[in-house]
Amino acid sequence: MWTLAGQGWWRGRALAAWVTEAARKGLLWPHLAPARGTAAEARAPDRCYSSADRKEKIDMSCFPVENIRNFSIIAHVDHGKSTLADRLLELTGAIDKTKNNKQVLDKLQVERERGITVKAQTASLFYNYEGKQYLLNLIDTPGHVDFSYEVSRSLSACQGVLLVVDANEGIQAQTVANFFLAFEAQLSIIPVINKIDLKNADPERVEKQIEKVFDIPGDECIKISAKLGTNVESVLDAVIKRIPFPKAHCRNPLRALVFDSTFDQYRGVIANVALFDGVVSKGDKIVSAHTQKTYEVNEVGVLNPNEQPTHKLYAGQVGYLIAGMKDVTEAQIGDTLYLHKQPVEPLPGFKSAKPMVFAGMYPVDQSEYNNLKSAIEKLTLNDSSVVVHRDSSLALGAGWRLGFLGLLHMEVFNQRLEQEYNASVILTTPTVPYKAVLSSAKLMKEYREKEITIINPAQFPDKSKVTEYLEPVVLGTIITPDEYTGKIMMLCQARRAVQKNMMYIDQNRVMLKYLFPLNEIVVDFYDSLKSLSSGYASFDYEDAGYQTAELVKMDILLNGSIVEELVTVVHKDKAYSVGKAICERLKDSLPRQLFEIAIQAALGSKIIARETVKAYRKNVLAKCVCIYVCSLSIFMVVILPEK
């Protein structure tokens, strides 16, 4: 028995490695080594590459551009994207067929726990079709509206998409949103009707919905069951037939688009790249168009679905690249990489994400500030849609103001900080970005612009300084069974929404379009919608600019002192109800003290709501009550019988 500790650890590891290699070659136990020409070799697969466990480097030159297909899977939440991806990985031999293949591409702990995809994942598949070897680059995308930026970035590296629709639920709100993302990117769209094995599945009804809403002929739909693997092979055949190969040329200088990246503490930044032109290999010197810094490539490869090193990556292919980038700020998503001394015109990149929700984030202990700063930098490298601003608070100390695409995005980011970096944070109440139009030239000179954006309610300017306030609005899409239409319309009207359109997508389902103020839907609208519709309605929204609104800044006071972290911006008509609700919740949350606590909601100097937390105090009547009870007992027991 070897003890791999102290100085003997390296010797032990080397000896163990030698034993493993010798056993494989049959030097230690010749009778256990597979004989040449036996069944061990006869079972070799008929395609070039079929296992994710191979260690040899793959020669990617045997895949000309004509034999490459880059595609994404897009769908509404829980319509079977990840399950379809699992079946495609099994069919192409990337993973072995086992019962444990569930959400193989969902590698984050938060994805496993919540059962949703929050991060787009790439896998390169090798597939033999009609005697030709094809390279299929698959990107599995999220389905929730809060992660639509992940979808839009993934589509930039593709030429086609699989639009998956549930045969039971039919077209949902995010299905429509994802379709138009692919349509605007001019990608080939293959409709796939999934879950045909369900008892209540109605693929013919869904076929008609697709034809009516998306104007795609019903005979182009592929009906499958990803769970059982029914008819999944026809999906791969359709990918090869219907999706065009990328327009790329190996002879042109290198142009590689960084569409995603992760940080490894030992190897630095791992960039996911799509090659539009040229070739890249280990040892090449590349330059970042964003930072103009030069790096030497340490490793290139493909994801199958795990990292598989290759000799080179060629034009039209999608893979990963490690070039010794040690600083998280050096790898910008949307950046263009090119060879040293061979400058090229940078690729368009991506439209920057527009945050919908802002929240303050502070360390629980200020001594953990630097550790939390490092964790946020590394996590924002992997999630580029998060916007970070430095911030500070009198009560909570130094921190940040973070912008997210929605509440779920904020929750997932916070959960990843805890799970991946063991960071504990304090999050303030989420708010939306407002705008104010300044009234005087002096103020415009001070702020250097006519319109200012307010992401922190504590910095909301006074009415005397502005001509008008603007609030963000979104165009919301609701798809629901028609029996719930009346209730949902009342809910939307209560949230100050304006109806824009109403359309029946089939006999029983309605698509409603409303213009919502963003602050009315950001917190609890989705939960209310699901409750009213018994879970059948779906909701999606997109940015629609700003509109004029009567907004007021509401301060929360504790014993007459304003608490900056509890300041909020509300519409004038809802100030009383919101202030009353906040005061009541604070009354239930704050512990009682030896003194009375007055909780007040104020608009300027006017108090609009108040609650009081009573003080602890000594019960001076307790002794009197006790004496009275004792006296009464004596009277009843002793004196009455004597009479």
Side-chain angles (χ1 to χ4, degrees), residues 111-410:
E111 293 178 318
R112 297 278 180 175
E113 289 176 357
R114 290 176 177 262
I116 59 173
T117 303
V118 302
K119 185 75 186 150
Q121 298 291 349
T122 307
S124 295
L125 315 176
F126 307 105
Y127 185 63
N128 200 314
Y129 178 72
E130 294 183 352
K132 290 183 180 179
Q133 195 73 17
Y134 285 86
L135 172 62
L136 311 178
N137 293 311
L138 155 71
I139 303 179
D140 182 24
T141 62
H144 197 278
V145 60
D146 283 11
F147 306 102
S148 57
Y149 188 63
E150 286 283 320
V151 180
S152 63
R153 285 196 294 105
S154 302
L155 297 184
S156 66
C158 299
Q159 285 74 47
V161 296
L162 299 177
L163 181 66
V164 180
V165 185
D166 191 316
N168 184 26
E169 296 183 358
I171 290 176
Q172 299 292 311
Q174 194 62 25
T175 315
V176 178
N178 285 339
F179 168 81
F180 283 108
L181 280 176
F183 184 75
E184 289 167 7
Q186 298 181 345
L187 304 181
S188 300
I189 300 171
I190 302 174
V192 177
I193 301 175
N194 189 23
K195 303 188 182 181
I196 60 171
D197 58 303
L198 293 180
K199 182 180 179 181
N200 297 324
D202 190 354
E204 285 72 26
R205 175 179 61 87
V206 177
E207 219 174 64
K208 291 176 183 176
Q209 288 181 5
I210 291 172
E211 196 162 355
K212 182 175 181 179
V213 179
F214 302 141
D215 199 23
I216 298 175
D219 56 2
E220 291 187 13
C221 298
I222 304 171
K223 299 169 187 174
I224 67 164
S225 169
K227 183 178 180 180
L228 303 179
T230 307
N231 203 30
V232 175
E233 279 198 25
S234 59
V235 175
L236 288 173
D237 297 345
V239 165
I240 293 170
K241 290 177 183 177
R242 298 194 211 172
I243 295 178
F245 57 83
K247 295 178 181 178
H249 304 280
C250 292
R251 295 181 181 179
N252 293 348
L254 173 68
R255 279 201 310 169
L257 175 70
V258 180
F259 66 90
D260 200 0
S261 57
T262 54
F263 187 82
D264 185 285
Q265 63 178 5
Y266 301 110
R267 298 184 293 172
V269 175
I270 303 172
N272 287 6
V273 294
L275 270 67
F276 283 76
D277 288 304
V279 182
V280 64
S281 61
K282 181 179 178 180
D284 287 349
K285 287 190 175 181
I286 58 171
V287 180
S288 162
H290 176 72
T291 62
Q292 293 298 314
K293 290 185 178 181
T294 304
Y295 308 95
E296 183 175 338
V297 178
N298 299 328
E299 185 181 323
V300 294
V302 294
L303 297 165
N304 188 250
N306 299 317
E307 291 176 7
Q308 179 65 39
T310 64
H311 295 286
K312 295 181 180 181
L313 284 177
Y314 295 84
Q317 297 176 359
V318 175
Y320 71 91
L321 180 148
I322 303 173
M325 299 180 187
K326 297 298 182 184
D327 191 347
V328 293
T329 60
E330 295 178 31
Q332 293 290 326
I333 290 178
D335 194 6
T336 301
L337 304 177
Y338 59 87
L339 290 175
H340 184 54
K341 295 183 179 179
Q342 293 186 29
V344 295
E345 184 180 346
L347 294 159
F350 307 110
K351 191 169 95 174
S352 58
K354 186 175 181 180
M356 294 292 191
V357 178
F358 283 86
M361 182 175 284
Y362 303 89
V364 173
D365 186 348
Q366 280 294 310
S367 63
E368 294 294 318
Y369 177 85
N370 289 329
N371 293 337
L372 182 57
K373 179 184 177 184
S374 176
I376 290 174
E377 286 176 350
K378 291 173 183 175
L379 199 51
T380 50
L381 171 70
N382 190 234
D383 188 354
S384 61
S385 57
V386 178
V387 177
V388 183
H389 300 280
R390 292 281 298 275
D391 197 10
S392 62
S393 161
L394 290 174
L396 302 175
W400 299 267
R401 198 86 188 164
L402 301 183
F404 303 96
L405 300 181
L407 272 192
L408 178 63
H409 186 202
M410 183 181 79

